[in-house]
């Protein structure tokens, strides 16, 4: 359920006057409070040992493995043993979604940390005397709205990449802890960050396709086992997303073939599209329960109430359009009976590729894939906003599009932890070692399915047969079987599918949606009056962009409306 706290910068020599209870710790330098106990309460830790306070929040998918390996009786004793053996690197042994704190009570040193891929966040702001932090962004964003000054560069990132990226938020005074990071503070305002995990793509030339497939099968099995075993440990029902793609079906399929039965699949899309038809067929064949939420007409997605409900959760961290559809089903579910939300997050790019393996130049980003909107990309280049050095475009994309946007869009519900076997660190790290030429496109993924999991090959991948040959036309790969239908659709002889989230169709077919968005834009664009260049760019993007681009602007304006008085 998370935690929040305040650390006082003070070098006074005071007698330690400590108060400690189940959910709260307080002394003259630190006050910290847990927001209740989470779903996986036995995985969470809150204890004092040898003048150190330890807090661990989230779920540890391999804690039973670690307890067994350490020959300890409890998870608390195991965690403490791992820390004492290697305080700088012990977190690298944990698998799951977690954040935490280690506080040296005697020396008044505070350390905060995130998991390897930042599946949970810690936000913070620094004042003259205090370091204030929370796992819930609204705690920090609502603290003092008069001090929330727009970070114009972060705004351009949101409008281009769909997220603020790296450690930024939309406000200069608020930051978030990076992935795989330990941040240490002392009473003299010294702040140090160390990365115990870094995404690095280091190819192993000894890995051929057969070796890759065997290892993928082995590690994926381990990852799925860890996830579903955790649900069973607490007596929860398994909640698993399912779409027309390969990623979610592989998650569901492996769980089923490993003997997990109490699975409820959830799907959200337009009715009568592939994203309804294929999951319907798969769940029927696997005999899973299935919940389908129709997104027909985009009901609720464009109204002011929904926009601001979602903005209160995301605080503008990610593009509104990336979370609106999933929010539209999750909010109707009784989450108390379910454990983890099992997804196929990033599967296609972990086993495949995530852009080009060429170097990235901060003032020349025009050839980058995976950009939500290129209309303002030139401004990102001119302002040299992308400062951090990345070895390749693919590495940049894994970190920023993968972790901070795609995975970040799932940080919506503090009571629901989202996992993906493709993001299990053992699986993820191995895939990054597979030579790029083996990973690129869809070949390795398809061959894994065809050689090891043929049962899943009978369902198309968004209309494409698994293993089907493709050709490149104007930079886009197209399956051979889809070339003629595409020509017929171009000639308007065949009807175009709308897909899972047809924002443009919803917008064009409903005048009330257009009126609602236009009204919100007109009523709030003045919030950018002091930023003339940005205001002009937002106006151009809104008036000339597609619906997703319009929603990027709306998300920015909604964040300013809710969290800034400037």
């Amino acid at each position: 359920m998370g935690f929040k706290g305040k650390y006082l910068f003070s070098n006074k020599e005071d007698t330690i006057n400590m108060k400690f209870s189940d959910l709260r710790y307080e002394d003259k330098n630190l006050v910290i409070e847990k927001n209740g106990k989470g779903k996986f309460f036995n995985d969470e830790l809150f204890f004092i040992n040898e003048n150190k306070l330890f807090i661990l929040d989230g779920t540890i998918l391999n804690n039973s493995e670690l307890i067994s390996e350490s020959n300890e009786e409890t998870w608390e004793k195991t965690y403490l043993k791992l820390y004492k053996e290697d305080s700088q690197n012990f977190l690298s042994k944990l698998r799951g979604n977690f954040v935490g704190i280690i506080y040296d009570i005697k020396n008044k040193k505070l350390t905060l940390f995130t998991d390897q891929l930042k599946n949970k966040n810690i936000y913070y702001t620094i004042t003259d005397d205090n370091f204030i932090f929370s796992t819930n962004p609204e705690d920090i964003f609502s603290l003092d709205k008069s001090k929330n000054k727009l970070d114009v560069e972060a705004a351009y990132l949101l409008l281009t990449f769909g997220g603020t990226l790296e450690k930024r938020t939309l406000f200069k005074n608020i930051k978030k802890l990076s992935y795989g990071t330990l941040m240490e503070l002392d009473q003299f305002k010294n702040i140090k960050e160390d990365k115990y995990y870094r995404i690095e793509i280091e190819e192993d030339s000894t890995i051929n396709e057969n070796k890759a497939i065997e290892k993928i099968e082995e590690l994926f099995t381990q990852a799925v086992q860890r996830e579903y075993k955790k649900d069973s440990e607490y007596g929860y029902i398994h909640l698993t997303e399912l779409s027309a793609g390969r990623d979610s079906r592989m998650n569901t399929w492996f769980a089923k073939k490993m003997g997990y039965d109490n699975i409820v699949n959830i799907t959200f899309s337009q009715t009568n599209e592939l994203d309804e038809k294929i999951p319907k067929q798969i769940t029927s064949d696997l005999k899973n329960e299935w919940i389908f939420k129709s997104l027909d007409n985009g009901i609720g997605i464009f109204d002011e109430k929904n926009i601001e409900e979602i903005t209160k959760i995301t605080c503008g961290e990610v593009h509104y359009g990336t979370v609106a559809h999933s929010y539209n089903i999750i909010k109707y579910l009784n989450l108390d009976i379910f454990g983890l939300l099992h997804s196929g997050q990033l599967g296609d790019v972990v086993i495949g590729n995530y852009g080009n393996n060429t170097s990235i130049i901060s003032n020349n980003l025009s050839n980058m894939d995976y950009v939500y909107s290129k209309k303002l990309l030139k401004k990102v280049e001119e302002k040299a906003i992308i400062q951090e050095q990345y070895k390749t475009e693919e590495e940049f994309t894994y970190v920023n599009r993968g972790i901070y946007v795609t995975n970040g869009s799932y940080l919506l519900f503090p009571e629901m932890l989202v996992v993906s076997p493709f993001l299990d660190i053992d699986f993820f790290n191995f895939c990054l070692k597979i030579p790029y030429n083996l990973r690129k496109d869809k070949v390795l993924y398809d061959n894994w399915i065809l050689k090891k999991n043929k049962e899943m090959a009978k369902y198309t991948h968004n209309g494409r047969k698994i293993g089907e040959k493709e050709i490149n036309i104007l930079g886009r790969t197209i399956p051979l079987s889809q070339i003629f239908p595409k020509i017929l659709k171009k000639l308007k002889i065949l009807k175009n599918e709308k897909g899972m989230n047809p924002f443009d169709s919803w917008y064009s077919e409903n005048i009330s949606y257009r009126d609602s968005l236009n009204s919100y834009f007109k009523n709030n664009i003045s919030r950018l009056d002091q930023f003339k260049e940005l205001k002009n760019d937002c106006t151009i993007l809104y008036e000339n962009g597609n619906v997703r681009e319009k929603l990027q602007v709306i998300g920015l304006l909604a964040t300013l409306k809710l969290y800034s008085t400037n």
Side-chain angles (χ1 to χ4, degrees):
M1 294 294 287
F3 52 76
K4 58 184 176 182
K6 180 189 291 187
Y7 175 76
L8 175 65
F9 294 116
S10 172
N11 57 5
K12 293 180 181 178
E13 291 293 333
D14 292 323
T15 303
I16 297 172
N17 185 14
M18 180 181 68
K19 297 177 183 178
F20 180 68
S21 64
D22 285 348
L23 298 173
R24 182 181 172 88
Y25 172 89
E26 181 178 355
D27 65 25
K28 291 185 177 180
N29 278 81
L30 177 69
V31 176
I32 186 164
E33 189 171 359
K34 276 183 61 64
N35 304 322
K37 293 185 178 180
K39 279 179 173 290
F40 302 96
F41 46 88
N42 288 328
D43 292 20
E44 298 177 355
L45 297 173
F46 194 84
F47 69 95
I48 293 174
N49 180 274
E50 296 179 358
N51 274 324
K52 284 188 173 67
L53 170 69
F54 295 90
I55 300 175
L56 183 66
D57 184 80
T59 184
I60 309 302
L61 301 178
N62 68 331
N63 63 345
S64 60
E65 299 168 35
L66 295 172
I67 292 169
S68 176
E69 291 169 7
S70 69
N71 292 317
E72 293 289 351
E73 296 176 356
T74 66
W75 171 227
E76 181 179 309
K77 289 180 179 179
T78 299
Y79 185 81
L80 189 61
K81 183 177 182 179
L82 293 172
Y83 170 77
K84 288 181 176 180
E85 288 175 348
D86 189 351
S87 61
Q88 292 302 305
N89 296 298
F90 80 106
L91 294 171
S92 63
K93 295 184 178 181
L94 275 56
R95 302 289 178 264
N97 299 18
F98 59 88
V99 287
I101 284 174
I102 301 166
Y103 177 55
D104 187 326
I105 298 170
K106 183 179 179 181
N107 296 310
K108 303 178 183 178
K109 286 186 177 180
L110 176 68
T111 301
L112 304 95
F113 57 82
T114 52
D115 65 47
Q116 291 94 330
L117 296 180
K118 200 180 68 65
N119 293 292
K120 290 175 70 69
N121 270 321
I122 296 178
Y123 294 87
Y124 63 90
T125 187
I126 300 173
T127 65
D128 290 339
D129 299 317
N130 295 301
F131 177 89
I132 305 168
F133 56 92
S134 178
T135 55
N136 180 356
E138 196 173 23
D139 288 341
I140 306 300
F141 283 71
S142 297
L143 201 60
D144 185 347
K145 296 178 184 180
S146 68
K147 292 182 179 178
N148 292 347
K149 310 292 185 184
L150 178 65
D151 183 336
V152 173
E153 293 184 349
Y156 276 105
L157 290 172
L158 177 67
L159 296 170
T160 302
F161 291 95
T164 53
L165 309 191
E166 298 171 353
K167 295 187 292 184
R168 300 174 186 264
T169 72
L170 279 175
F171 299 112
K172 292 179 180 179
N173 57 309
I174 301 173
K175 304 295 181 187
K176 57 182 180 283
L177 202 56
S178 186
Y179 76 97
T181 297
L182 289 151
M183 174 188 275
E184 183 181 281
L185 307 89
D186 67 22
Q187 60 202 51
F188 302 101
K189 288 191 178 180
N190 295 312
I191 300 176
K192 181 179 70 170
E193 289 188 31
D194 290 314
K195 292 197 82 63
Y196 70 91
Y197 177 80
R198 187 180 296 276
I199 290 177
E200 293 181 318
I201 303 171
E202 297 180 351
E203 296 184 10
D204 182 347
S205 60
T206 67
I207 298 175
N208 58 28
E209 184 179 277
N210 287 333
K211 283 184 179 178
I213 288 173
E214 291 299 325
K215 198 66 176 177
I216 285 170
E217 181 79 4
E218 174 193 333
L219 292 175
F220 198 78
T221 300
Q222 175 180 266
V224 172
Q225 173 76 1
R226 283 171 173 168
E227 290 183 13
Y228 286 80
K229 183 180 177 183
K230 182 60 64 176
D231 284 342
S232 299
E233 182 182 326
Y234 285 82
Y236 291 127
I237 297 170
H238 312 293
L239 184 64
T240 307
E241 292 184 328
L242 190 58
S243 68
R246 294 172 298 184
D247 306 334
S248 56
R249 83 176 56 162
M250 294 306 289
N251 190 338
T252 295
W253 162 244
F254 265 75
K256 197 70 177 181
K257 77 174 183 176
M258 291 164 64
Y260 292 99
D261 288 319
N262 202 10
I263 299 172
V264 175
N265 290 117
I266 56 169
T267 302
F268 42 89
S269 83
Q270 283 280 116
T271 54
N272 298 318
E273 299 294 331
L274 290 174
D275 273 297
E276 179 199 7
K277 293 176 181 177
I278 293 174
K280 185 177 184 178
Q281 185 181 355
I282 291 173
T283 52
S284 176
D285 292 345
L286 295 182
K287 297 180 174 57
N288 284 354
E289 291 194 73
W290 183 49
I291 298 172
F292 174 73
K293 171 66 169 65
S294 165
L295 298 182
D296 289 0
N297 305 310
I299 295 171
I301 287 178
F302 297 97
D303 67 68
E304 180 174 334
K305 180 176 179 290
N306 215 50
I307 289 168
E308 294 189 354
E309 275 183 9
I310 290 178
T311 303
K312 285 179 181 178
I313 299 170
T314 66
C315 295
E317 279 293 280
V318 291
H319 168 35
Y320 170 80
T322 64
V323 298
H325 55 302
S326 53
Y327 177 76
N328 232 1
I329 181 171
I330 297 294
K331 69 178 181 179
Y332 291 114
L333 297 178
N334 173 16
L335 298 179
D336 293 342
I337 63 173
F338 299 110
L340 299 163
L341 175 57
H342 304 273
S343 77
Q345 280 289 80
L346 298 179
D348 56 336
V349 295
V350 173
I351 298 181
N353 63 298
Y354 216 174
N356 302 311
N357 63 341
T358 52
S359 14
I360 182 169
I361 304 169
S362 62
N363 61 358
N364 184 14
L365 305 171
S366 57
N367 293 321
M368 285 188 66
D369 295 328
Y370 300 101
V371 175
Y372 272 92
S373 171
K374 292 194 174 184
K375 287 186 172 65
L376 299 177
L377 187 59
K378 203 69 183 171
K379 294 291 177 76
V380 176
E381 294 173 345
E382 290 170 357
K383 297 174 184 297
I385 296 174
I386 304 297
Q387 292 290 337
E388 192 168 339
Q389 296 300 308
Y390 299 90
K391 292 179 183 176
T392 64
E393 175 194 320
E394 191 179 30
E395 183 182 306
F396 170 87
T397 310
Y398 272 121
V399 173
N400 291 296
R401 176 66 177 259
I403 292 177
Y404 290 111
V405 178
T406 306
N407 212 35
S409 69
Y410 272 82
L411 303 179
L412 273 171
F413 307 99
E415 68 273 29
M416 175 62 75
L417 295 174
V418 183
V419 290
S420 168
F422 298 97
L423 296 179
D424 174 273
I425 288 300
D426 299 311
F427 184 87
F428 185 75
N429 285 344
F430 172 75
C431 288
L432 295 188
K433 292 179 182 178
I434 300 172
Y436 183 84
N437 287 336
L438 276 182
R439 283 191 292 116
K440 71 177 182 179
D441 303 323
K442 305 178 179 72
V443 178
L444 179 61
Y445 203 145
D446 278 2
N447 288 344
W448 171 44
I449 294 174
L450 291 168
K451 290 182 180 181
K452 293 290 186 177
N453 302 279
K454 287 182 181 178
E455 296 87 343
M456 291 296 102
K458 69 179 181 178
Y459 314 103
T460 67
H461 168 223
N462 292 314
R464 180 189 70 88
K465 294 179 181 177
I466 301 294
E468 182 178 2
K469 297 284 186 183
E470 296 184 318
I471 60 171
N472 192 294
I473 299 177
L474 299 176
R476 296 184 63 186
T477 56
I478 301 175
L480 290 173
S481 66
Q482 292 184 16
I483 295 174
F484 188 57
K486 281 184 180 293
I487 293 172
L488 294 179
K489 289 169 187 175
K490 194 76 174 175
L491 296 171
K492 297 186 178 179
I493 296 171
L494 273 183
K495 185 180 178 182
N496 274 304
E497 296 94 351
K498 289 187 175 181
M500 181 191 288
N501 309 301
F503 286 96
D504 289 288
S505 293
W506 293 333
Y507 182 81
S508 63
E509 293 169 3
N510 295 274
I511 189 169
S512 63
Y513 296 168
R514 298 197 295 276
D515 290 344
S516 178
L517 278 193
N518 291 339
S519 175
Y520 200 91
F521 175 78
K522 289 174 183 175
N523 291 338
N524 292 285
I525 189 63
S526 61
R527 298 179 189 280
L528 293 174
D529 281 350
Q530 60 181 302
F531 311 101
K532 291 183 179 179
E533 182 186 9
L534 178 60
K535 180 182 179 181
N536 183 58
D537 287 335
C538 283
T539 301
I540 292 171
L541 186 61
Y542 185 84
E543 291 179 349
N544 300 291
N546 60 33
V547 179
R548 284 185 179 273
E549 290 169 327
K550 294 179 192 297
L551 289 172
Q552 285 174 287
V553 176
I554 293 296
L556 170 60
L557 299 180
T559 306
L560 292 175
K561 177 184 176 183
L562 293 173
Y563 295 112
S564 179
T565 58
N566 297 291

